[in-house]
Structures are given as C-alpha cells and as structure tokens.
Amino acid sequence: MVLVIVLLMLMVLLVYLLLTPISFCVDTRTDQYLIQQKGVVKASVLGDEKEVFKVKVNTLFFRFYLYPLRVNKGNSKPKVKAKKKTGKQKFLSFKTGLKLLKAIKVKTFWMDVDTGDCILNAKLYPAFAYLNYKIGGFNINFQDRNQLVLNIQVKPIHIIKSFINF
C-alpha cells in the first residue's frame, strides 16, 4: 500500500514537472535575468563585486549561489584527448527545429534600440516601423537608450513532443 502511494506521488510530481511552464525572462530595464519553473526552481543572474556575476538558485528548500567564472585550481586532472569522430552527426533536423520553435510562446517582447549613429538610426526607422506594424514591440530612439524586455514560456511536454515523431 505504501509503495502504491509513493509511486502515485512520483507520477503526480512527474506530471506537474511536465505541465508546468518554464519561464525565461530578460529585462534590461530592471537588470532582471532569470529562468524559473514555478514552485520548483528559480535561477537568476546577479552582478557581483568580486566576480563578474553570480547565479542565485532557489529550489524548494535550498538557496545557494554559483560562480560560473571562478576557476577551480585544486583538482586539475590531465585531460585525455578525445578521439575525433569521422562521421557527420546530425543533432537537430530542420523539421524538428521548427517544431521546437512552435513550442515556444513569447509572452512579452519589447526592444528599444539606439545605435549611436543618427544616420543609421534614420535608415533603421522604416524597418522598425514595418516590424512594429506586423509583429509589434520594436522601437528606435535617438536618446542613447538600449533596452530589451523578453519573456518566453515553454512547457517541457511540448519540447518532448517536438522530438517525438507522430
């Protein structure tokens, strides 16, 4: 009976993890860069005084920091050269890539660009006006302001479905 309950709880957890969307958020206005799956994990990139940046990871019960640019000097093992593969390996086909792009939902997109050159800004203005008319979220300015707000959501089940051929 206990085994059935544990297996049922694991199945519910697996379904929750597959159906809960993963959010990718980039907001240069508020310096917020994060990846999160609601209720499970949240990883955000923060600036640091000693290092260039650090990654703050919040899980269900833990909070810790990762320093990806820190070099670990203690455990350096000699590297073994990998054998070169002779055949051409195909990682992602074009059709699978399109299915993967269709699984991604863009919730928020806004881009405000200034190139620093007023002539180039003037040349880009018609293209941005057309993109803003068709898609939306594009802006060109002449005030030295570069901003990007991007919020993308994807469900893990949709990623798995894009790799499986039905």
Side-chain angles (χ1 to χ4, degrees):
M1 184 67 178
V2 174
L3 182 63
V4 172
I5 293 173
V6 170
L7 287 176
L8 187 62
M9 294 290 283
L10 287 175
M11 289 297 291
V12 168
L13 179 67
L14 181 68
V15 169
Y16 177 76
L17 290 176
L18 287 175
L19 295 178
T20 306
I22 298 172
S23 298
F24 302 94
C25 182
V26 175
D27 191 352
T28 59
R29 293 182 298 182
T30 61
D31 289 333
Q32 182 181 19
Y33 311 95
L34 63 94
I35 299 173
Q36 73 175 356
Q37 188 170 16
K38 294 228 186 240
V40 180
V41 67
K42 178 179 177 182
S44 55
V45 177
L46 304 171
D48 191 35
E49 295 173 1
K50 294 180 182 178
E51 302 285 331
V52 177
F53 66 92
K54 62 184 174 183
V55 179
K56 179 182 175 184
V57 180
N58 292 335
T59 60
L60 289 174
F61 305 109
F62 302 108
R63 176 182 296 156
F64 57 93
Y65 293 93
L66 299 173
Y67 298 92
L69 298 179
R70 189 175 286 174
V71 178
N72 191 5
K73 296 178 183 177
N75 297 333
S76 61
K77 294 181 181 179
K79 294 182 180 179
V80 178
K81 290 184 180 180
K83 292 183 180 179
K84 217 177 200 182
K85 296 182 180 179
T86 57
K88 188 176 182 181
Q89 293 192 358
K90 196 176 195 182
F91 175 69
L92 191 68
S93 69
F94 183 72
K95 190 174 182 181
T96 307
L98 284 178
K99 287 181 185 178
L100 192 61
L101 283 176
K102 288 180 182 179
I104 296 171
K105 305 287 185 214
V106 177
K107 295 294 183 180
T108 308
F109 177 76
W110 186 71
M111 184 171 68
D112 194 12
V113 176
D114 183 15
T115 61
D117 182 14
C118 62
I119 304 298
L120 183 58
N121 282 356
K123 289 179 180 178
L124 286 175
Y125 189 81
F128 274 47
Y130 178 75
L131 286 173
N132 201 19
Y133 176 71
K134 288 292 185 181
I135 301 169
F138 293 92
N139 189 24
I140 190 123
N141 66 64
F142 296 88
Q143 301 168 349
D144 292 330
R145 193 175 62 233
N146 292 316
Q147 298 173 345
L148 175 69
V149 177
L150 180 64
N151 189 358
I152 297 174
Q153 286 186 349
V154 61
K155 290 185 179 179
I157 191 73
H158 294 290
I159 294 173
I160 293 170
K161 281 174 55 177
S162 68
F163 286 107
I164 298 173
N165 294 329
F166 285 117

